[in-house]
């Protein structure tokens, strides 16, 4: 912010994160640290949630300006009547994956028949698994689902389960490799599940004309470009105020996440939202499909 008699106060904007700060949030952190938000007249406050399911509800209730969320959850939230819409994309590919031990008995998805599969969040994760196994003539009755409550890698390494669904490929695979037990990932988008945006920015659907939102998205685009052009400098910016994240796991995750950031955060692929809505309906996660503009908006 320029100081002086003619300086205008920066517009405050609250962004609720989906989780504690991690490399998935790189564009946000770089936009902050490189001064892109400030350049666009914004003072952005990023808040990690106490309850990861709360941010969309808080935006819907008018308690926060924006929230980081996920495209699959967005489809369900809109179906439930939550007045939220996606205004930008942070990570433009799925991160979710099904992971097994690289040296274990599961070499293909067909090998999962009769096996135990761990998950953290029912609903979408189990639907992903069902869709991935269907081409191999494996149904939900052919596997045993075990809720491992976010202990994905540990449950796999201890032998409690033979595979886990819901493992973020940029974290879990690196975690397992560091611990000396490399994993093998099967990617939903290669196994019959339509590609989707993993991380998105959502706003209240009645407040899309908020004058702060477009500058925010513009700053994200500048940050994304800086990030891919200067990954090492961006890493230094990222850990500057998050020294606790300066470790091997986060360094590896950082490198694996960079190719997945949306270089055009504002851009909307209508066909992708249509295809994914149809998938969600086919899996019984939503009762009806809506048009893409019911889920997402392009700001003018």
């Amino acid at each position: 912010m320029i100081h002086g008699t003619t300086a205008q106060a920066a517009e405050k904007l609250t962004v609720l994160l989906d989780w504690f700060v991690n490399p998935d949030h790189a564009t946000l952190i770089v936009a902050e640290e490189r001064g892109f938000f400030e350049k666009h007249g914004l003072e952005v406050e990023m808040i990690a949630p106490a309850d990861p399911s709360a941010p969309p509800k808080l935006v819907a209730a008018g308690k926060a300006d924006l929230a980081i969320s996920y495209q699959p959850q967005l489809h369900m939230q809109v179906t439930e009547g939550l007045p939220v819409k996606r205004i930008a994309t942070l990570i433009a590919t799925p991160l979710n994956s099904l992971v097994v031990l690289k040296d274990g008995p599961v070499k293909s998805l067909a090998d999962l028949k009769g096996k135990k599969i761990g998950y953290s969040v029912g609903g979408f994760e189990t639907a992903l698994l069902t869709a991935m196994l269907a081409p191999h003539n494996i149904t939900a009755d052919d596997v045993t689902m075990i809720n491992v409550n976010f202990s994905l890698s540990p449950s796999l390494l201890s032998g409690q389960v033979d595979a886990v669904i819901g493992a973020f490929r940029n974290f879990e695979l690196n975690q397992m490799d560091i611990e000396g037990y490399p994993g093998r990932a099967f990617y939903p988008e290669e196994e019959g599940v339509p590609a989707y945006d993993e991380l998105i920015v959502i706003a209240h659907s009645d407040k899309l004309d908020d004058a702060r939102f477009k500058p925010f998205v513009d700053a994200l685009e500048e940050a994304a470009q800086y990030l891919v052009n200067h990954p090492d400098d961006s890493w230094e910016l990222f850990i500057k105020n998050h020294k606790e994240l300066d470790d091997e796991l986060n360094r590896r995750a950082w490198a694996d996440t960079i190719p997945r950031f949306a270089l055009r955060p504002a851009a909307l692929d209508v066909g992708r939202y249509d295809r994914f809505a149809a998938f969600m309906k086919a899996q019984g996660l939503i009762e009806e499909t809506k048009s893409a503009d019911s889920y997402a908006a392009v700001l003018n």
Side-chain angles (χ1 to χ4, degrees):
M1 195 165 69
I2 304 163
H3 295 284
T5 51
T6 57
Q8 282 190 314
E11 293 273 0
K12 286 188 162 66
L13 188 67
T14 309
V15 180
L16 299 180
L17 301 179
D18 56 306
W19 197 241
F20 53 85
V21 170
N22 64 73
D24 294 348
H25 304 129
T27 25
L28 290 160
I29 303 299
V30 168
E32 173 71 27
E33 296 296 337
R34 282 289 297 171
F36 296 137
F37 288 145
E38 191 177 354
K39 171 186 162 186
H40 286 278
L42 298 173
E43 183 185 324
V44 176
E45 183 183 12
M46 290 176 260
I47 302 170
D51 172 5
S53 70
K57 298 170 194 164
L58 292 169
V59 167
K63 301 278 176 63
D65 300 315
L66 300 170
I68 307 306
S69 193
Y70 309 85
Q71 185 186 339
Q73 275 67 28
L74 174 70
H75 288 270
M76 294 190 274
Q77 289 155 1
V78 169
T79 297
E80 290 161 8
L82 228 56
V84 292
K85 279 189 186 178
R86 167 259 179 225
I87 61 163
T89 300
L90 285 186
I91 292 184
T93 78
L95 292 177
N96 215 312
S97 61
L98 186 148
V99 171
V100 299
L101 286 170
K102 193 171 187 179
D103 299 330
V106 178
K107 305 300 182 193
S108 75
L109 292 178
D111 295 333
L112 285 171
K113 192 161 192 168
K115 298 287 195 290
K116 295 175 184 167
I117 302 176
Y119 71 97
S120 298
V121 183
F124 178 60
E125 288 180 5
T126 42
L128 266 189
L129 181 69
T130 303
M132 292 171 74
L133 295 181
H136 304 276
N137 296 316
I138 301 175
T139 69
D141 294 335
D142 297 322
V143 295
T144 304
M145 299 296 292
I146 297 174
N147 189 333
V148 297
N149 196 23
F150 296 103
S151 291
L152 292 169
S153 313
S155 66
L156 192 54
L157 300 185
S158 68
Q160 183 189 353
V161 295
D162 304 291
V164 290
I165 185 74
F168 268 23
R169 61 192 71 169
N170 53 346
F171 277 94
E172 248 81 20
L173 286 176
N174 285 313
Q175 177 84 57
M176 291 169 68
D177 193 56
I178 289 168
E179 293 183 21
Y181 297 93
R184 176 200 309 273
F186 297 94
Y187 304 117
E189 69 275 22
E190 295 178 1
E191 304 291 345
V193 176
Y196 58 89
D197 298 338
E198 190 70 60
L199 273 199
I200 56 174
V201 182
I202 60 171
H204 195 293
S205 49
D206 292 341
K207 298 179 181 175
L208 300 176
D209 57 355
D210 189 311
R212 298 169 297 171
F213 292 171
K214 190 162 189 318
F216 174 81
V217 177
D218 290 345
L220 282 185
E221 180 164 333
E222 289 188 40
Q225 290 168 349
Y226 185 86
L227 184 61
V228 296
N229 288 340
H230 308 280
D232 295 337
D233 292 343
S234 295
W235 167 256
E236 294 303 325
L237 292 173
F238 177 72
I239 59 168
K240 188 172 116 186
N241 293 316
H242 300 282
K243 299 288 190 207
E244 73 283 1
L245 300 180
D246 188 6
D247 59 23
E248 187 181 359
L249 174 59
N250 281 289
R251 281 177 184 271
R252 288 193 189 197
W254 178 269
D256 285 351
T257 313
I258 281 179
R260 301 182 179 280
F261 288 110
L263 295 179
R264 299 169 62 219
L268 173 63
D269 184 337
V270 169
R272 173 180 267 211
Y273 273 73
D274 288 343
R275 287 189 296 273
F276 203 71
F279 168 79
M280 295 287 280
K281 184 181 180 200
Q283 292 299 322
L285 292 171
I286 59 177
E287 289 178 8
E288 58 172 351
T289 58
K290 296 179 184 287
S291 60
D293 62 6
S294 299
Y295 303 114
V298 177
L299 301 179
N300 297 314

